[in-house]
Amino acid sequence: MNQRILIVEDEPAIVDNIRYVLESEGFTIICHEVGKDVISFLDSNHADLIILDIGLPDINGMELCKDIRKKHLIPIIFLTARSDEIDRVVGLEIGADDYVTKPFSPRELAARVKAILRRTETFRHFPAAENPGQTAGSPFNVDEIRCRITCFSKIVDLSRYEYLLLKTFIKKPGRVFSRDILMDMVWDEPESSMDRTVDAHIKNIRAKLKKIKSGFDPIVTHRGMGYSFKEYL
Ligand code: CA
């Protein structure tokens, strides 16, 4: 079956450009001009990836992204037009997977779509034998089929990059990862504000784990070196 991309964007010229390039790559495209029906659409329809404009007529795309994230792990790429939006998106406090700034090249967007979908596929088909699952003594369980991590039996509500980062740590407890290595292992393309991006994600993960258990912080900061994960023996 063709992979289905949902485009949520109100500017017809942009929609047409994206549609043309993605259809020529073999994707099936569904378009929504406003945000209000997107959640109900996703409740009863499948999408492999969402391209989401921040400046929608009826709702801010970042708010919509948060609502989508409450229920769905579908990868999301933002379309942004303003630099003050970019700052919030780069911190990725919202849970998006990537963003492009307008004006953008539809080919470049298509390349990012494919990169994200390739990675999603890799994780979906991860052989069960390599799934670390539950390690004795660890409160974590990694479900690579559903791209889900539980901590003390509660699901940790993670964005895609947060999930990938936390999984990397859980698999190699005790190992110190530099920010460069983490960026290399987890992100498709290095970002310019590399240290800030990794740090922002680590901060989010810590906050989410503390929400599950107050004071719980298995991530160790090594000043000038990077981060490691506590060993559970
Ligand atoms: Ca718009």
Side-chain angles (χ1 to χ4, degrees):
M1 199 184 83
N2 282 352
Q3 286 182 301
R4 289 156 62 93
I5 314 282
L6 171 63
I7 303 173
V8 188
E9 163 65 271
D10 58 309
E11 289 167 67
I14 293 182
V15 173
D16 286 350
N17 278 338
I18 305 174
R19 180 200 284 277
Y20 176 77
V21 171
L22 289 178
E23 280 183 347
S24 71
E25 299 272 0
F27 293 107
T28 301
I29 305 301
I30 313 131
C31 299
H32 280 231
E33 286 176 21
V34 291
K36 67 177 166 57
D37 298 327
V38 168
I39 299 284
S40 59
F41 173 82
L42 290 173
D43 284 342
S44 45
N45 295 275
H46 172 74
D48 292 287
L49 185 142
I50 303 170
I51 295 171
L52 178 57
D53 181 33
I54 291 185
L56 293 169
D58 59 332
I59 181 174
N60 182 302
M62 289 192 255
E63 295 307 316
L64 180 57
C65 176
K66 281 188 200 164
D67 288 342
I68 295 171
R69 275 282 170 269
K70 285 178 193 158
K71 288 180 168 176
H72 304 280
L73 265 172
I74 307 165
I76 296 174
I77 301 180
F78 272 131
L79 304 179
T80 72
R82 305 198 327 252
S83 54
D84 58 323
E85 291 172 347
I86 296 168
D87 270 354
R88 287 189 63 195
V89 176
V90 167
L92 297 178
E93 62 194 80
I94 326 279
D97 297 273
D98 204 350
Y99 68 96
V100 293
T101 51
K102 296 178 182 178
F104 59 87
S105 133
R107 296 257 160 229
E108 147 110 36
L109 176 61
R112 292 190 187 212
V113 165
K114 284 193 281 184
I116 289 179
L117 288 176
R118 245 193 333 264
R119 199 178 53 213
T120 315
E121 274 310 281
T122 313
F123 284 110
R124 198 171 289 152
H125 299 300
F126 224 91
E130 287 185 37
N131 186 340
Q134 183 98 34
T135 314
S138 166
F140 290 96
N141 191 301
V142 181
D143 178 347
E144 303 213 38
I145 306 296
R146 294 180 186 81
C147 294
R148 203 162 71 180
I149 293 174
T150 57
C151 174
F152 297 108
S153 305
K154 287 182 190 150
I155 294 173
V156 193
D157 178 23
L158 300 165
S159 74
R160 185 158 301 273
Y161 283 134
E162 288 162 9
Y163 164 78
L164 293 170
L165 268 178
L166 185 52
K167 191 181 74 142
T168 303
F169 281 122
I170 293 171
K171 282 186 153 192
K172 300 268 184 216
R175 174 177 163 178
V176 178
F177 291 97
S178 70
R179 293 174 178 84
D180 290 19
I181 295 278
L182 289 171
M183 187 50 88
D184 224 48
M185 290 175 78
V186 171
W187 273 262
D188 295 316
E189 295 165 35
E191 296 191 12
S192 48
S193 55
M194 194 160 76
D195 289 0
R196 204 173 111 209
T197 307
V198 172
D199 290 348
H201 283 76
I202 298 277
K203 195 175 153 207
N204 289 349
I205 294 171
R206 280 180 160 147
K208 288 175 179 184
L209 294 177
K210 277 182 187 148
K211 241 194 240 172
I212 287 186
K213 189 175 179 188
S214 147
F216 180 63
D217 182 13
I219 300 173
V220 183
T221 305
H222 299 264
R223 208 165 285 278
M225 291 194 286
Y227 298 100
S228 73
F229 203 68
K230 280 185 190 153
E231 288 181 84
Y232 295 91
L233 303 169

